[in-house]
Amino acid sequence: MTLYEMIEKRRSVRRYSESFPSNAAVDKIESFIEDTEQLPGQNAWFEVVSSDTIKSPVAAYSILAYCEAGDAAYANVGYVLQKADLYIQSLGLGSLWLGMGKPKEEKADFCIMLAFGETDVPMRNGASSFRRLPLKKLTNEDNTVARAVRLAPSAQNSQPWEMRFEQDLMILRCVGRGVFRQVLQKKLNKIDLGIAARHAEIALRNDGKTIESVTPKSDGKAFEIEIRYSDAEES
Ligand SMILES: Cc1cc2nc3c(=O)[nH]c(=O)nc-3n(C[C@H](O)[C@H](O)[C@H](O)COP(=O)(O)O)c2cc1C
């Protein structure tokens, strides 16, 4: 299954079987993350660890993400690891973003983790099985890109994004939602925006667009990610 198809199939997996993913699968996931492009100017780093190094582990393995502090750096982690989330689930494994997860040892620059292992629950069977806000609360448009963003996972399922579309440009704007708005705003909402940008990027490519740039923009108050694209074939 393609990563685009996985957008309608993935879920947060909270029940894992006793068995372990094969070493080959873990190697593939490590290489996949290494090969995943980061946002311009960003240099997050990632390590796959066995979950016995994690406080209250939920699955056999965890991917630990590290980055400098900052809105764009957090969005970049979301952008990279959401591609991994879709890839992991395309291998038939389960995965779970863990905003509350922590390694046992304190680690400088630790940002967030994504746990993964052998899932004990089936994939979703389509967009109708997602609990999400209606599209019209998120944007005025109804297109494949907006629908892919709507299905993106977010901390507390708060869905802190709004979208607008202009000529060859889409803009994701961070808008706090939900009762945990203040708690999430600093870091987790920025990660959420990066996750949503990844869904948008995958949907645009699936529509035959070429991505020209993905640019986080922060003025200290508002946070947005601009995605510029064109119809031209990639050279
Ligand atoms: C940045 C982030 C942090 C999250 N943290 C947790 C967490 O600590 N515990 C948990 O059970 N789920 C966590 N989730 C999963 C969300 O609750 C989940 O994505 C959301 O409810 C939507 O459900 P779905 O992923 O099955 O579509 C997190 C998701 C994201 C994107």
Side-chain angles (χ1 to χ4, degrees):
M1 228 177 277
T2 65
L3 296 186
Y4 177 70
E5 289 164 334
M6 286 311 300
I7 288 175
E8 285 198 353
K9 298 280 179 198
R10 67 156 294 286
R11 66 163 80 242
S12 288
V13 173
R14 297 187 177 83
R15 274 196 359 242
Y16 291 87
S17 76
E18 300 278 291
S19 50
F20 279 73
S22 66
N23 289 339
V26 176
D27 288 348
K28 272 186 178 177
I29 291 163
E30 274 178 327
S31 310
F32 185 86
I33 296 167
E34 223 162 89
D35 294 344
T36 296
E37 76 287 7
Q38 303 203 18
L39 294 178
Q42 295 301 324
N43 292 297
W45 62 106
F46 302 89
E47 67 174 333
V48 176
V49 297
S50 153
S51 286
D52 52 17
T53 64
I54 301 302
K55 283 184 191 165
S56 316
V58 296
Y61 289 95
S62 297
I63 303 165
L64 306 184
Y66 303 88
C67 67
E68 289 168 4
D71 294 352
Y74 300 146
N76 177 59
V77 165
Y79 191 69
V80 173
L81 278 193
Q82 185 54 20
K83 195 169 181 185
D85 174 76
L86 294 166
Y87 178 68
I88 289 167
Q89 299 211 15
S90 79
L91 298 178
L93 300 171
S95 52
L96 179 65
W97 280 96
L98 279 172
M100 300 300 135
K102 290 211 169 13
K104 280 182 185 161
E105 264 179 50
E106 193 146 318
K107 303 217 180 197
D109 297 323
F110 170 70
C111 175
I112 196 163
M113 69 174 70
L114 183 75
F116 70 92
E118 290 285 342
T119 176
D120 219 9
V121 285
M123 282 181 188
R124 281 186 160 122
N125 52 20
S128 60
S129 64
F130 283 73
R131 194 166 56 83
R132 294 291 189 271
L133 292 168
L135 201 56
K136 59 180 183 311
K137 291 228 164 184
L138 309 174
T139 179
N140 295 327
E141 305 281 329
D142 183 354
N143 58 39
T144 51
V145 179
R147 277 181 249 143
V149 168
R150 176 178 169 266
L151 300 184
S154 56
Q156 298 285 346
N157 204 21
S158 73
Q159 305 162 69
W161 355 266
E162 260 175 19
M163 289 168 264
R164 33 183 227 282
F165 292 84
E166 294 173 20
Q167 182 69 40
D168 295 336
L169 170 68
M170 85 160 291
I171 300 159
L172 279 157
R173 185 181 176 81
C174 188
V175 291
R177 293 186 211 272
V179 283
F180 297 104
R181 193 164 49 207
Q182 298 301 333
V183 185
L184 301 178
Q185 232 154 20
K186 195 162 179 252
K187 179 163 79 173
L188 293 175
N189 279 175
K190 308 304 184 309
I191 296 173
D192 291 340
L193 257 270
I195 291 172
R198 178 59 78 184
H199 276 210
E201 181 261 354
I202 290 172
L204 284 163
R205 282 190 203 279
N206 189 67
D207 277 354
K209 307 293 185 198
T210 296
I211 306 297
E212 303 292 347
S213 60
V214 181
T215 315
K217 295 200 164 172
S218 184
D219 65 5
K221 269 198 202 153
F223 181 66
E224 295 188 336
I225 301 180
E226 281 189 5
I227 305 181
R228 289 187 183 276
Y229 54 91
S230 64
D231 281 323
E233 287 293 304
E234 277 180 68
S235 54

